[in-house]
């Protein structure tokens, strides 16, 4: 499963991508919403794991654009900020109902949850 990891904190993005690659995912880290959108065009991710609150283009805006390009892409947002609630409300009003996980998330829990998502997704026909 191809996972695009998006966080403007380079250490977090790199660490998550490293963990996921070690656990059998094809993960790539990027550091901004704009970079994620550009990368998604060529990567065609099955899943986007993005910080909700980033400078510039937010994770919610990023996810919306990627899902517009690739409607079958699964989105998980993570955040450590309470202000994310308002942005998620706006996303839901636009028809998006993405999972939101709280930071910090233990690596074992992260991999377990992503494996559960991978098991649910029908990746046939998604390239």
């Amino acid at each position: 499963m191809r996972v695009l990891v998006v966080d403007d904190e380079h250490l977090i993005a790199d660490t998550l991508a490293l963990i996921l690659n070690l656990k059998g995912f094809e993960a790539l880290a990027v550091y901004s919403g704009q970079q994620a959108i550009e990368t998604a065009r060529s990567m065609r991710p099955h899943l986007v794991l993005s910080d909700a609150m980033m400078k510039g283009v937010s994770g919610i805006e990023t996810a919306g654009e990627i899902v517009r390009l690739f409607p079958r892409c699964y989105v998980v947002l993570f955040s450590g900020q309470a202000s994310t609630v308002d942005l998620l409300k706006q996303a839901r009003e636009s028809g998006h109902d993405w999972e939101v996980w709280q930071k910090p998330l233990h690596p074992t829990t992260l991999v377990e949850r992503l494996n559960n998502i991978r098991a649910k997704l029908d990746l046939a026909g998604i390239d």
Side-chain angles (χ1 to χ4, degrees):
M1 179 166 71
R2 292 184 302 273
V3 180
L4 183 57
V5 179
V6 189
D7 199 312
D8 55 355
E9 294 185 42
H10 292 224
L11 182 60
I12 291 173
D14 290 340
T15 301
L16 290 174
L18 176 64
I19 290 167
L20 295 178
N21 282 315
L22 290 171
K23 294 297 183 177
F25 294 88
E26 294 175 48
L28 181 64
V30 296
Y31 313 112
S32 73
Q34 188 59 44
Q35 186 183 17
I37 293 165
E38 292 166 10
T39 301
R41 292 175 203 266
S42 60
M43 179 189 187
R44 302 181 61 87
H46 299 120
L47 184 139
V48 172
L49 178 62
S50 179
D51 186 9
M53 303 294 293
M54 296 183 291
K55 297 174 188 130
V57 181
S58 75
I60 294 166
E61 294 166 320
T62 299
E65 180 61 19
I66 292 173
V67 168
R68 186 186 70 71
L69 295 168
F70 306 105
R72 293 184 64 192
C73 184
Y74 197 93
V75 173
V76 175
L77 300 170
F78 56 95
S79 179
Q81 300 181 18
S83 59
T84 305
V85 173
D86 292 334
L87 290 173
L88 288 173
K89 182 180 175 193
Q90 291 172 352
R92 286 193 177 102
E93 289 170 356
S94 297
H96 302 292
D97 190 24
W98 298 315
E99 288 192 47
V100 180
W101 299 344
Q102 287 297 121
K103 282 182 181 179
L105 190 62
H106 191 278
T108 303
T109 303
L110 171 70
V111 170
E112 182 178 286
R113 288 182 183 182
L114 290 179
N115 277 327
N116 288 338
I117 291 170
R118 178 170 36 192
K120 286 190 253 181
L121 291 179
D122 175 14
L123 299 179
I126 302 177
D127 45 21

